[in-house]
Amino acid sequence: MTQSQSQRPGTASQDAPLAIELRGISKAFGTVQANKDISIKVRRGTIHGIIGENGAGKSTLMSILYGFYKADAGEVYIGGKKTEIPDSQAAIDAGIGMVFQHFKLVETFTVLENVILGAEDGRLLKPSLAKARKLLTDLAREYELEVDPDAVVEDLNVGLQQRVEILKALYREADILILDEPTGVLTPAEADHLFRILKGLRDQGKTIILITHKLREIMEITDTVSVMRRGEMTATVKTADTSPEQLAELMVGRKVLLRVDKTPARPGKTVLEVRGLRVVADQGVERLRGIDLDIRAGEVLGIAGVSGNGQSELLEVLGGYRAATGTIRMNGQELDLTGSASAARSRRDQGIGHVPEDRQREGLIMQFRAWENVGFGYHHEPRFGSGMFMDNAALRKDCEGKMARFDVRPPDPNLTAKSFSGGNQQKIVLAREIERDPDLLLIGQPTRGVDIGAIEFIHKQVVALRDKGKAILLVSVELDEIMALSDRIAVMFDGRIMGERLPAETDANELGLMMAGMTGKVA
Amino acid sequence: MTDALPKWADILLIPLINLILALFVSGLVVALIGKDPFEALYILVNGSVGSAYGWGYTLFYATNFIFTGLGVAVAFHARLFNIGGEGQAALGGLGAALVLLYLPLPHWTLAIVAASIGAALFGAAWAAIPAYLQAKRGSHIVITTIMFNFIASALMVYLLSRVLIVPGAGGSPETARFAESVHLPNAYDVLPWLGFSRSTPLNVSFFLAIAACVFVWALIWKSRLGYEIRSFGQSEPAALYGGISSVRIIMISMLISGGLIGLMAINSVMGEAERLVIDPVQGAGFVGIAVALMGRSHPVGVFLAALLFGALYQGGGELTFEMNGMTREIILVIQALVILFTGALDNMVRSPIERAFLSLRWRPAQPMPTSPKGGDNDPVPGAKP
């Protein structure tokens, strides 16, 4: 709606030549218009943020720039020259490097081997490796990009793996670096380090395009920000001239409340008691190393942590379908820890609802219609039919009611789950689990891939459930979400609880340290 | 996938286009060997559905294919590829034959019930071992069911040449003829006014096949078990989350699948041969795969696809008689082309048609929430197979 393409506040970088200019890029998939007439100018030596909700078309745009998709219309200018990018090799030749959300590294190769992969000169590896080794040392010195060139990639943590991706791009002499949601897998400290690297690269004249949905990152590091909504570029503004509230509004198209309004919790009796919980995964790796937790009625216990530190396993154990040792008592009753489908079913009978982390893989059957999904997991209950048969009419009716109460759009029970947006899919799962009236609700990543408008609604539902006196276990990698919703915060690192804090008595810094494995107290 | 197309297009339009394409290429093959494709098509159609005699055979074959097709379809819903139809149907034949040979059954109505139980139990038992290996040990069911076809075939040869063979009766490897009292009424007996000839093998088990269609429909779309089978087939992680046991679903759906396939013996062994011969299945187990694929694993689709393949079998047979130079192999080529186009190449036709339907449907402004999909994780909606 706002057609304010490239306002021109006169700053130093504003005079810099253009690194990239896109003119009138359009791309449709079938009849879904992923990019509509997008024009954007990115100046050399700047960090340019592209922000937008899931499905706004950010990744499609970058995929066009990197040669993965061919645009239906529009032109790409790189360094002022019109450039055709039919494939990723052409993009690399044009000086574009891409760091994907999911790294594209050969895990069993060393850093050095990964860096030269696909860019070896000649048939013998030795000279390329020597050249790369020298370059890596230079880059490491220049940009704080230290990585041991001989380390095997699978032994590196995600932050270091990401550095390898950046090094790969720099080795291919990229002048323009595109990063797609780079902080999703990083601890706050690692993210800070990444930002320092990016600023260093910018100061050396590299151009950086940062795709993200996190407003905080945009405000912190970018020089200019473009907002996308529903395939259109709604605005490009100087970061210094805008605010998170304004950006959120531009992303969603209406005013959004970024804070969660809630009253102090009034915790009641202990609902869930977890003692000495251990999980050993298939390869003999210990995923949970002795977890102790209590959750009381009427409170939200938030589990903070970088993803992959045991939170998923904790949810799965509590949900019944991962085996563990230790004890869990629910309302005083000991739970079955064999990790089976029947344990998962009896969890529901014992009053535990579960909104799983991955709604598309677990929470919903994507090919099922909405009405079939509202009974999923509870399909054995008499309310959905008697004897051997399901009462499909009851399911449909139930679905209509849930769609109305949870504002699912479009409110059509006959649509398959996969045709809803992420936020509406999540509302269907939430409605199913909340309306079953559980004593304890497990919620994993409630707003992952969910648009801002729906986030607000989902947060309100969680608070409302708490106010009804229910116990809630919230797992999220979004620290802001944990801070906003939790009455108590437990931080997980490497399968352990590093400590518990009250939101009022802690801050992102302390939690960040704990998420990185340091016991917050001392620091 | 299901959203993009209305049901009728999914079940009727796409198979029809596939079929036309297959017949077109078949026509080219016929022309290539110097025959007139239109004459061949006429004989094919006329021989299968042009007379009551033709219909009799077409429906007889179709009955076999309905049973095997339904069996494969039920397994498909649990995302299990049951290629063991040949073996399960053969064992079904053994089960039916044992019941009919060794139980005193005074009337065919009693006999069909008892033989059905025997056939279904034996078919299910033959599917149970691969199912158990898949459920408990992760042995791939495609491999194990195929191997069980060979084992079944060897077992049948052994039993029929050593154990069940009638001593001194010419030495052909088959059992004795079943008693006159268990003879199934054929089409001529039941529906004389339709003009079915006495010589066609069509019999009352056709109605059993229709009943099986209704059973499968109710099982898959109306029952809790069917809901669980479909859930498991669509997403194993979701099934686990939802408290649905994979072992239970794999076992039950394979037992039902094998049981349905075993029931084919009621038509072929009890209805036609009236004794157990060395290969009572004649490829129907494999045709069932094509039938289930073409019928989109829906009983109505399976029924129609079985009719089509029944007609192809019967018409193809006529073709070898009527047209000089149309060998058995050419008929196989035509049947293979139909299987190729309706089964394997289904997506070739499906994607463009889905796109066509999508463009028709999205234009009348659909409310927003479905459309902001061309997104980060799934940029090509509806393009998944």
Side-chain angles (χ1 to χ4, degrees), chain A residues 29 31 55 69 230 341 345 348 354 361-362 365 367 372 376 379 385 387-388 390 392 409 416 418-419 432-433, chain B residues 1-3 221-224 227-228 230-231 234-235 238 241 243-245 362 368-371 373-375 379:
Chain A
F29 294 106
T31 48
Y69 298 139
R230 291 178 187 175
R345 177 167 294 187
R348 292 179 169 83
H354 183 186
R361 215 172 95 89
E362 295 185 343
I365 307 272
Q367 275 80 9
E372 289 175 296
F376 189 65
H379 51 276
M388 287 167 58
M390 303 269 297
N392 291 344
R409 279 176 280 178
T416 52
K418 66 173 192 163
S419 49
R432 180 180 77 207
E433 301 301 324
Chain B
M1 173 166 75
T2 28
D3 261 358
W221 279 281
K222 298 292 158 189
S223 78
R224 290 187 206 274
Y227 181 88
E228 295 195 342
R230 286 184 295 131
S231 304
Q234 294 290 355
S235 168
Y241 156 84
I244 297 166
S245 153
W362 291 86
M368 205 42 214
T370 38
S371 65
K373 270 204 58 178

Short mmCIF file of all heavy atoms in Angstrom, two decimals, chain A residues 29 31 55 69 230 341 345 348 354 361-362 365 367 372 376 379 385 387-388 390 392 409 416 418-419 432-433, chain B residues 1-3 221-224 227-228 230-231 234-235 238 241 243-245 362 368-371 373-375 379:
data_model
loop_
_atom_site.label_atom_id
_atom_site.label_comp_id
_atom_site.label_asym_id
_atom_site.label_seq_id
_atom_site.Cartn_x
_atom_site.Cartn_y
_atom_site.Cartn_z
N PHE A 29 4.02 -18.70 -8.62
CA PHE A 29 4.03 -20.15 -8.60
C PHE A 29 2.60 -20.59 -8.85
O PHE A 29 1.74 -20.37 -8.00
CB PHE A 29 4.51 -20.69 -7.27
CG PHE A 29 5.95 -20.37 -7.00
CD1 PHE A 29 6.29 -19.41 -6.08
CD2 PHE A 29 6.95 -21.03 -7.69
CE1 PHE A 29 7.62 -19.11 -5.84
CE2 PHE A 29 8.27 -20.74 -7.45
CZ PHE A 29 8.61 -19.77 -6.52
N THR A 31 -0.71 -19.92 -9.56
CA THR A 31 -1.38 -18.63 -9.56
C THR A 31 -1.10 -17.86 -8.29
O THR A 31 -1.69 -16.82 -8.04
CB THR A 31 -2.90 -18.82 -9.69
OG1 THR A 31 -3.28 -19.80 -8.76
CG2 THR A 31 -3.25 -19.26 -11.09
N GLY A 55 6.27 -16.33 4.23
CA GLY A 55 5.41 -16.32 3.06
C GLY A 55 5.28 -14.96 2.43
O GLY A 55 4.51 -14.76 1.49
N TYR A 69 15.51 -19.58 -8.98
CA TYR A 69 14.28 -19.41 -9.75
C TYR A 69 14.53 -18.39 -10.84
O TYR A 69 15.37 -17.52 -10.69
CB TYR A 69 13.13 -18.89 -8.88
CG TYR A 69 12.72 -19.79 -7.74
CD1 TYR A 69 12.41 -19.25 -6.51
CD2 TYR A 69 12.62 -21.16 -7.92
CE1 TYR A 69 12.02 -20.05 -5.46
CE2 TYR A 69 12.22 -21.97 -6.88
CZ TYR A 69 11.93 -21.42 -5.65
OH TYR A 69 11.54 -22.21 -4.63
N ARG A 230 3.10 -9.96 1.63
CA ARG A 230 2.29 -10.63 0.61
C ARG A 230 2.86 -10.43 -0.78
O ARG A 230 2.17 -10.07 -1.73
CB ARG A 230 0.86 -10.12 0.64
CG ARG A 230 0.16 -10.58 1.89
CD ARG A 230 -1.23 -10.05 1.96
NE ARG A 230 -1.83 -10.38 3.25
CZ ARG A 230 -3.01 -9.97 3.64
NH1 ARG A 230 -3.73 -9.22 2.85
NH2 ARG A 230 -3.48 -10.31 4.81
N ALA A 341 3.34 -45.19 21.55
CA ALA A 341 2.09 -44.58 21.14
C ALA A 341 1.05 -44.70 22.26
O ALA A 341 0.27 -43.78 22.49
CB ALA A 341 1.58 -45.25 19.86
N ARG A 345 -1.03 -41.73 24.15
CA ARG A 345 -2.48 -41.67 24.28
C ARG A 345 -2.89 -41.48 25.74
O ARG A 345 -3.76 -40.67 26.05
CB ARG A 345 -3.12 -42.92 23.70
CG ARG A 345 -4.62 -42.93 23.88
CD ARG A 345 -5.30 -43.98 23.05
NE ARG A 345 -5.16 -43.68 21.63
CZ ARG A 345 -5.77 -44.38 20.67
NH1 ARG A 345 -6.53 -45.39 20.98
NH2 ARG A 345 -5.61 -44.06 19.42
N ARG A 348 -2.87 -37.99 27.22
CA ARG A 348 -4.06 -37.16 26.96
C ARG A 348 -5.14 -37.48 27.97
O ARG A 348 -5.82 -36.59 28.48
CB ARG A 348 -4.56 -37.41 25.54
CG ARG A 348 -3.59 -36.89 24.50
CD ARG A 348 -4.10 -37.16 23.09
NE ARG A 348 -3.32 -36.43 22.11
CZ ARG A 348 -2.15 -36.84 21.61
NH1 ARG A 348 -1.65 -37.99 22.02
NH2 ARG A 348 -1.51 -36.12 20.73
N HIS A 354 -0.70 -31.22 24.28
CA HIS A 354 0.63 -31.00 23.71
C HIS A 354 0.51 -30.32 22.36
O HIS A 354 -0.05 -30.87 21.43
CB HIS A 354 1.34 -32.36 23.59
CG HIS A 354 2.74 -32.25 23.08
ND1 HIS A 354 3.51 -33.34 22.79
CD2 HIS A 354 3.53 -31.18 22.81
CE1 HIS A 354 4.70 -32.95 22.36
NE2 HIS A 354 4.73 -31.64 22.36
N ARG A 361 4.83 -31.63 10.93
CA ARG A 361 5.29 -33.00 10.95
C ARG A 361 4.49 -33.83 11.95
O ARG A 361 4.20 -34.99 11.72
CB ARG A 361 6.76 -33.01 11.36
CG ARG A 361 7.60 -34.07 10.71
CD ARG A 361 9.05 -33.81 11.08
NE ARG A 361 9.44 -34.59 12.24
CZ ARG A 361 9.94 -35.80 12.16
NH1 ARG A 361 10.09 -36.38 11.00
NH2 ARG A 361 10.28 -36.46 13.24
N GLU A 362 4.17 -33.21 13.09
CA GLU A 362 3.53 -33.97 14.15
C GLU A 362 2.12 -33.50 14.47
O GLU A 362 1.22 -34.30 14.63
CB GLU A 362 4.39 -33.90 15.43
CG GLU A 362 5.73 -34.57 15.27
CD GLU A 362 6.51 -34.59 16.56
OE1 GLU A 362 6.18 -33.82 17.49
OE2 GLU A 362 7.46 -35.38 16.64
N ILE A 365 -2.05 -33.60 10.38
CA ILE A 365 -1.87 -34.41 9.19
C ILE A 365 -2.15 -33.47 8.04
O ILE A 365 -3.29 -33.07 7.83
CB ILE A 365 -2.84 -35.60 9.17
CG1 ILE A 365 -2.74 -36.39 10.47
CG2 ILE A 365 -2.60 -36.46 7.95
CD1 ILE A 365 -1.74 -37.47 10.51
N GLN A 367 -2.41 -33.58 4.91
CA GLN A 367 -3.34 -33.92 3.82
C GLN A 367 -4.76 -34.10 4.34
O GLN A 367 -5.68 -34.24 3.54
CB GLN A 367 -2.90 -35.20 3.11
CG GLN A 367 -1.89 -35.00 2.02
CD GLN A 367 -0.49 -34.85 2.57
OE1 GLN A 367 -0.26 -35.05 3.77
NE2 GLN A 367 0.44 -34.48 1.72
N GLU A 372 -10.97 -33.17 10.09
CA GLU A 372 -10.37 -34.43 10.51
C GLU A 372 -9.26 -34.19 11.52
O GLU A 372 -8.98 -35.01 12.37
CB GLU A 372 -9.81 -35.17 9.29
CG GLU A 372 -10.88 -35.73 8.39
CD GLU A 372 -10.31 -36.35 7.12
OE1 GLU A 372 -9.71 -35.60 6.31
OE2 GLU A 372 -10.45 -37.56 6.92
N PHE A 376 -7.67 -35.18 16.02
CA PHE A 376 -6.48 -36.00 15.98
C PHE A 376 -5.86 -36.16 17.37
O PHE A 376 -5.62 -35.20 18.08
CB PHE A 376 -5.46 -35.41 15.01
CG PHE A 376 -4.30 -36.33 14.76
CD1 PHE A 376 -4.50 -37.55 14.13
CD2 PHE A 376 -3.03 -36.01 15.20
CE1 PHE A 376 -3.45 -38.41 13.93
CE2 PHE A 376 -1.98 -36.88 15.00
CZ PHE A 376 -2.19 -38.07 14.35
N HIS A 379 -9.20 -39.03 18.82
CA HIS A 379 -10.20 -39.67 17.97
C HIS A 379 -10.80 -40.90 18.61
O HIS A 379 -11.77 -41.44 18.13
CB HIS A 379 -9.56 -40.04 16.63
CG HIS A 379 -8.29 -40.82 16.78
ND1 HIS A 379 -7.07 -40.23 16.99
CD2 HIS A 379 -8.07 -42.16 16.80
CE1 HIS A 379 -6.15 -41.16 17.12
NE2 HIS A 379 -6.72 -42.34 17.01
N GLY A 385 -17.58 -40.16 18.38
CA GLY A 385 -18.18 -41.33 17.78
C GLY A 385 -18.30 -42.46 18.78
O GLY A 385 -17.62 -42.48 19.80
N GLY A 387 -18.39 -46.70 19.49
CA GLY A 387 -17.98 -48.00 18.96
C GLY A 387 -16.85 -47.88 17.96
O GLY A 387 -15.91 -47.12 18.14
N MET A 388 -16.98 -48.63 16.86
CA MET A 388 -15.91 -48.68 15.88
C MET A 388 -15.90 -47.47 14.95
O MET A 388 -14.95 -47.26 14.23
CB MET A 388 -16.04 -49.94 15.03
CG MET A 388 -15.67 -51.21 15.77
SD MET A 388 -16.20 -52.65 14.85
CE MET A 388 -15.35 -52.41 13.29
N MET A 390 -16.36 -43.44 13.59
CA MET A 390 -16.15 -42.05 13.92
C MET A 390 -17.43 -41.30 13.57
O MET A 390 -18.09 -41.60 12.59
CB MET A 390 -15.04 -41.43 13.06
CG MET A 390 -13.71 -42.11 13.15
SD MET A 390 -12.64 -41.44 14.41
CE MET A 390 -12.35 -39.79 13.89
N ASN A 392 -18.32 -38.37 11.97
CA ASN A 392 -17.74 -37.30 11.17
C ASN A 392 -18.53 -36.00 11.28
O ASN A 392 -17.96 -34.91 11.21
CB ASN A 392 -17.62 -37.73 9.71
CG ASN A 392 -16.57 -38.82 9.53
OD1 ASN A 392 -15.76 -39.04 10.42
ND2 ASN A 392 -16.60 -39.50 8.40
N ARG A 409 -8.75 -18.59 9.79
CA ARG A 409 -9.19 -18.08 8.51
C ARG A 409 -8.51 -18.80 7.36
O ARG A 409 -7.31 -19.02 7.42
CB ARG A 409 -8.88 -16.58 8.43
CG ARG A 409 -9.96 -15.78 9.16
CD ARG A 409 -9.65 -14.33 9.18
NE ARG A 409 -8.67 -14.02 10.23
CZ ARG A 409 -8.20 -12.79 10.44
NH1 ARG A 409 -8.57 -11.80 9.67
NH2 ARG A 409 -7.34 -12.57 11.39
N THR A 416 -7.86 -28.67 3.41
CA THR A 416 -6.82 -29.50 4.01
C THR A 416 -5.91 -28.61 4.85
O THR A 416 -5.76 -27.42 4.58
CB THR A 416 -5.98 -30.21 2.96
OG1 THR A 416 -5.53 -29.26 2.02
CG2 THR A 416 -6.77 -31.28 2.27
N LYS A 418 -2.84 -28.28 4.99
CA LYS A 418 -1.70 -27.61 4.36
C LYS A 418 -2.10 -26.37 3.59
O LYS A 418 -1.24 -25.60 3.21
CB LYS A 418 -0.94 -28.58 3.46
CG LYS A 418 -1.70 -29.04 2.26
CD LYS A 418 -0.77 -29.85 1.37
CE LYS A 418 -1.43 -30.09 0.03
NZ LYS A 418 -0.45 -30.49 -0.97
N SER A 419 -3.40 -26.17 3.37
CA SER A 419 -3.76 -24.96 2.65
C SER A 419 -3.97 -23.77 3.57
O SER A 419 -4.29 -22.68 3.11
CB SER A 419 -4.98 -25.20 1.76
OG SER A 419 -6.00 -25.83 2.50
N ARG A 432 -7.51 -27.38 19.34
CA ARG A 432 -7.71 -28.79 19.67
C ARG A 432 -7.19 -29.10 21.07
O ARG A 432 -7.87 -29.75 21.87
CB ARG A 432 -6.96 -29.64 18.63
CG ARG A 432 -7.09 -31.12 18.85
CD ARG A 432 -6.34 -31.88 17.79
NE ARG A 432 -4.90 -31.85 18.04
CZ ARG A 432 -3.98 -31.96 17.08
NH1 ARG A 432 -4.34 -32.07 15.82
NH2 ARG A 432 -2.70 -31.95 17.39
N GLU A 433 -6.00 -28.62 21.39
CA GLU A 433 -5.38 -28.98 22.67
C GLU A 433 -5.96 -28.18 23.83
O GLU A 433 -6.15 -28.71 24.91
CB GLU A 433 -3.86 -28.78 22.58
CG GLU A 433 -3.19 -29.60 21.49
CD GLU A 433 -3.39 -31.10 21.65
OE1 GLU A 433 -3.41 -31.57 22.80
OE2 GLU A 433 -3.56 -31.80 20.63
N MET B 1 -2.83 -31.41 -2.58
CA MET B 1 -3.11 -32.42 -3.60
C MET B 1 -4.61 -32.64 -3.71
O MET B 1 -5.21 -32.47 -4.77
CB MET B 1 -2.41 -33.71 -3.22
CG MET B 1 -2.73 -34.89 -4.08
SD MET B 1 -1.55 -36.20 -3.78
CE MET B 1 -2.10 -36.81 -2.20
N THR B 2 -5.23 -32.96 -2.60
CA THR B 2 -6.68 -33.18 -2.65
C THR B 2 -7.43 -31.86 -2.81
O THR B 2 -8.53 -31.85 -3.31
CB THR B 2 -7.18 -33.88 -1.38
OG1 THR B 2 -6.32 -33.54 -0.33
CG2 THR B 2 -7.21 -35.38 -1.58
N ASP B 3 -6.77 -30.78 -2.37
CA ASP B 3 -7.46 -29.50 -2.44
C ASP B 3 -7.56 -28.97 -3.86
O ASP B 3 -8.49 -28.28 -4.22
CB ASP B 3 -6.73 -28.47 -1.59
CG ASP B 3 -7.40 -28.31 -0.26
OD1 ASP B 3 -8.43 -28.96 -0.04
OD2 ASP B 3 -6.91 -27.52 0.53
N TRP B 221 -13.05 -44.75 5.58
CA TRP B 221 -13.56 -43.38 5.77
C TRP B 221 -14.53 -43.21 6.92
O TRP B 221 -14.88 -42.10 7.26
CB TRP B 221 -14.15 -42.85 4.47
CG TRP B 221 -13.05 -42.35 3.58
CD1 TRP B 221 -12.40 -41.16 3.68
CD2 TRP B 221 -12.44 -43.04 2.50
NE1 TRP B 221 -11.42 -41.07 2.74
CE2 TRP B 221 -11.42 -42.21 1.99
CE3 TRP B 221 -12.65 -44.29 1.90
CZ2 TRP B 221 -10.61 -42.57 0.91
CZ3 TRP B 221 -11.84 -44.64 0.83
CH2 TRP B 221 -10.84 -43.79 0.35
N LYS B 222 -15.00 -44.30 7.47
CA LYS B 222 -15.98 -44.15 8.55
C LYS B 222 -15.50 -44.66 9.90
O LYS B 222 -16.02 -44.26 10.93
CB LYS B 222 -17.29 -44.88 8.17
CG LYS B 222 -17.98 -44.33 6.95
CD LYS B 222 -18.53 -42.94 7.18
CE LYS B 222 -18.71 -42.22 5.85
NZ LYS B 222 -19.04 -40.81 6.01
N SER B 223 -14.55 -45.56 9.90
CA SER B 223 -14.21 -46.19 11.18
C SER B 223 -13.02 -45.50 11.83
O SER B 223 -12.23 -44.82 11.17
CB SER B 223 -13.90 -47.67 10.98
OG SER B 223 -12.61 -47.82 10.44
N ARG B 224 -12.89 -45.68 13.14
CA ARG B 224 -11.74 -45.16 13.86
C ARG B 224 -10.46 -45.80 13.36
O ARG B 224 -9.42 -45.15 13.23
CB ARG B 224 -11.87 -45.47 15.35
CG ARG B 224 -12.95 -44.70 16.05
CD ARG B 224 -12.84 -44.97 17.55
NE ARG B 224 -14.12 -44.81 18.21
CZ ARG B 224 -14.56 -43.63 18.66
NH1 ARG B 224 -13.85 -42.55 18.50
NH2 ARG B 224 -15.74 -43.56 19.25
N TYR B 227 -9.37 -44.23 10.20
CA TYR B 227 -8.80 -42.91 10.51
C TYR B 227 -7.35 -43.07 10.95
O TYR B 227 -6.46 -42.35 10.50
CB TYR B 227 -9.65 -42.28 11.61
CG TYR B 227 -9.22 -40.89 12.05
CD1 TYR B 227 -9.71 -39.77 11.40
CD2 TYR B 227 -8.36 -40.72 13.13
CE1 TYR B 227 -9.35 -38.50 11.82
CE2 TYR B 227 -7.99 -39.45 13.55
CZ TYR B 227 -8.49 -38.34 12.90
OH TYR B 227 -8.12 -37.09 13.31
N GLU B 228 -7.13 -44.07 11.79
CA GLU B 228 -5.76 -44.30 12.26
C GLU B 228 -4.86 -44.81 11.13
O GLU B 228 -3.70 -44.40 11.03
CB GLU B 228 -5.76 -45.31 13.42
CG GLU B 228 -6.49 -44.78 14.64
CD GLU B 228 -6.20 -45.57 15.91
OE1 GLU B 228 -5.72 -46.71 15.79
OE2 GLU B 228 -6.45 -45.04 17.01
N ARG B 230 -5.17 -44.15 7.94
CA ARG B 230 -4.85 -43.02 7.05
C ARG B 230 -3.88 -42.06 7.72
O ARG B 230 -2.97 -41.53 7.07
CB ARG B 230 -6.13 -42.28 6.65
CG ARG B 230 -6.96 -43.05 5.63
CD ARG B 230 -8.16 -42.26 5.18
NE ARG B 230 -9.11 -42.04 6.27
CZ ARG B 230 -9.62 -40.86 6.58
NH1 ARG B 230 -9.30 -39.80 5.90
NH2 ARG B 230 -10.46 -40.75 7.59
N SER B 231 -4.06 -41.82 9.02
CA SER B 231 -3.13 -40.93 9.72
C SER B 231 -1.71 -41.48 9.64
O SER B 231 -0.77 -40.76 9.32
CB SER B 231 -3.51 -40.80 11.20
OG SER B 231 -4.83 -40.36 11.33
N GLN B 234 -0.22 -41.10 6.22
CA GLN B 234 0.15 -39.74 5.82
C GLN B 234 1.37 -39.26 6.58
O GLN B 234 2.18 -38.50 6.05
CB GLN B 234 -1.01 -38.77 6.07
CG GLN B 234 -2.21 -39.01 5.19
CD GLN B 234 -1.95 -38.65 3.75
OE1 GLN B 234 -0.89 -38.14 3.41
NE2 GLN B 234 -2.90 -38.93 2.88
N SER B 235 1.49 -39.60 7.84
CA SER B 235 2.62 -39.08 8.61
C SER B 235 2.89 -39.97 9.82
O SER B 235 2.12 -39.98 10.77
CB SER B 235 2.30 -37.65 9.07
OG SER B 235 3.24 -37.23 10.04
N ALA B 238 3.46 -37.93 13.08
CA ALA B 238 2.20 -37.44 13.63
C ALA B 238 1.44 -38.57 14.30
O ALA B 238 0.85 -38.39 15.37
CB ALA B 238 1.36 -36.79 12.53
N TYR B 241 2.87 -39.12 17.68
CA TYR B 241 2.42 -38.03 18.55
C TYR B 241 0.96 -38.24 18.95
O TYR B 241 0.57 -37.99 20.09
CB TYR B 241 2.60 -36.69 17.83
CG TYR B 241 1.69 -35.58 18.32
CD1 TYR B 241 2.03 -34.82 19.43
CD2 TYR B 241 0.48 -35.32 17.67
CE1 TYR B 241 1.19 -33.81 19.88
CE2 TYR B 241 -0.36 -34.32 18.12
CZ TYR B 241 0.00 -33.57 19.23
OH TYR B 241 -0.84 -32.58 19.67
N GLY B 243 -0.66 -40.91 19.38
CA GLY B 243 -0.95 -42.12 20.14
C GLY B 243 -1.39 -43.28 19.27
O GLY B 243 -2.15 -44.14 19.72
N ILE B 244 -0.95 -43.30 18.03
CA ILE B 244 -1.32 -44.40 17.13
C ILE B 244 -0.11 -45.31 16.97
O ILE B 244 0.94 -44.88 16.50
CB ILE B 244 -1.78 -43.84 15.76
CG1 ILE B 244 -3.03 -42.99 15.95
CG2 ILE B 244 -2.03 -44.97 14.78
CD1 ILE B 244 -3.38 -42.13 14.75
N SER B 245 -0.28 -46.57 17.33
CA SER B 245 0.86 -47.49 17.35
C SER B 245 1.18 -47.97 15.94
O SER B 245 0.32 -48.49 15.23
CB SER B 245 0.53 -48.67 18.25
OG SER B 245 1.25 -49.80 17.83
N TRP B 362 -8.65 -20.10 -8.31
CA TRP B 362 -8.12 -18.99 -7.50
C TRP B 362 -8.61 -17.65 -8.01
O TRP B 362 -8.64 -16.69 -7.29
CB TRP B 362 -6.59 -19.00 -7.51
CG TRP B 362 -6.07 -20.16 -6.77
CD1 TRP B 362 -5.85 -21.40 -7.26
CD2 TRP B 362 -5.70 -20.21 -5.39
NE1 TRP B 362 -5.38 -22.22 -6.28
CE2 TRP B 362 -5.27 -21.52 -5.13
CE3 TRP B 362 -5.68 -19.27 -4.37
CZ2 TRP B 362 -4.82 -21.91 -3.87
CZ3 TRP B 362 -5.24 -19.66 -3.12
CH2 TRP B 362 -4.82 -20.97 -2.89
N MET B 368 -8.10 -14.17 1.66
CA MET B 368 -6.66 -14.09 1.68
C MET B 368 -5.89 -15.28 2.29
O MET B 368 -4.96 -15.77 1.68
CB MET B 368 -6.28 -12.80 2.41
CG MET B 368 -4.91 -12.26 2.01
SD MET B 368 -4.59 -12.36 0.25
CE MET B 368 -2.84 -12.68 0.32
N PRO B 369 -6.25 -15.73 3.48
CA PRO B 369 -5.31 -16.57 4.24
C PRO B 369 -4.75 -17.78 3.51
O PRO B 369 -3.72 -18.27 3.88
CB PRO B 369 -6.13 -17.03 5.44
CG PRO B 369 -7.11 -15.95 5.62
CD PRO B 369 -7.43 -15.46 4.24
N THR B 370 -5.42 -18.26 2.48
CA THR B 370 -4.83 -19.41 1.79
C THR B 370 -3.73 -18.99 0.84
O THR B 370 -2.89 -19.79 0.50
CB THR B 370 -5.90 -20.13 0.97
OG1 THR B 370 -6.74 -19.16 0.40
CG2 THR B 370 -6.67 -21.10 1.82
N SER B 371 -3.73 -17.74 0.43
CA SER B 371 -2.82 -17.43 -0.66
C SER B 371 -1.42 -16.99 -0.25
O SER B 371 -0.51 -17.16 -1.04
CB SER B 371 -3.45 -16.39 -1.58
OG SER B 371 -3.62 -15.21 -0.86
N LYS B 373 1.08 -18.12 0.41
CA LYS B 373 1.77 -19.38 0.60
C LYS B 373 3.09 -19.42 -0.13
O LYS B 373 3.99 -20.09 0.31
CB LYS B 373 0.90 -20.54 0.10
CG LYS B 373 0.01 -21.07 1.18
CD LYS B 373 -0.38 -22.49 0.90
CE LYS B 373 0.81 -23.39 0.76
NZ LYS B 373 0.42 -24.76 0.53
N GLY B 374 3.21 -18.72 -1.22
CA GLY B 374 4.40 -18.86 -2.03
C GLY B 374 5.60 -18.49 -1.19
O GLY B 374 6.41 -17.65 -1.54
N GLY B 375 5.74 -19.13 -0.07
CA GLY B 375 6.53 -18.57 0.99
C GLY B 375 7.87 -19.21 1.20
O GLY B 375 8.41 -19.90 0.35
N PRO B 379 7.63 -22.90 -1.44
CA PRO B 379 7.39 -21.89 -2.44
C PRO B 379 6.51 -22.36 -3.59
O PRO B 379 6.03 -21.56 -4.33
CB PRO B 379 8.79 -21.54 -2.95
CG PRO B 379 9.65 -22.69 -2.58
CD PRO B 379 8.99 -23.43 -1.47
#
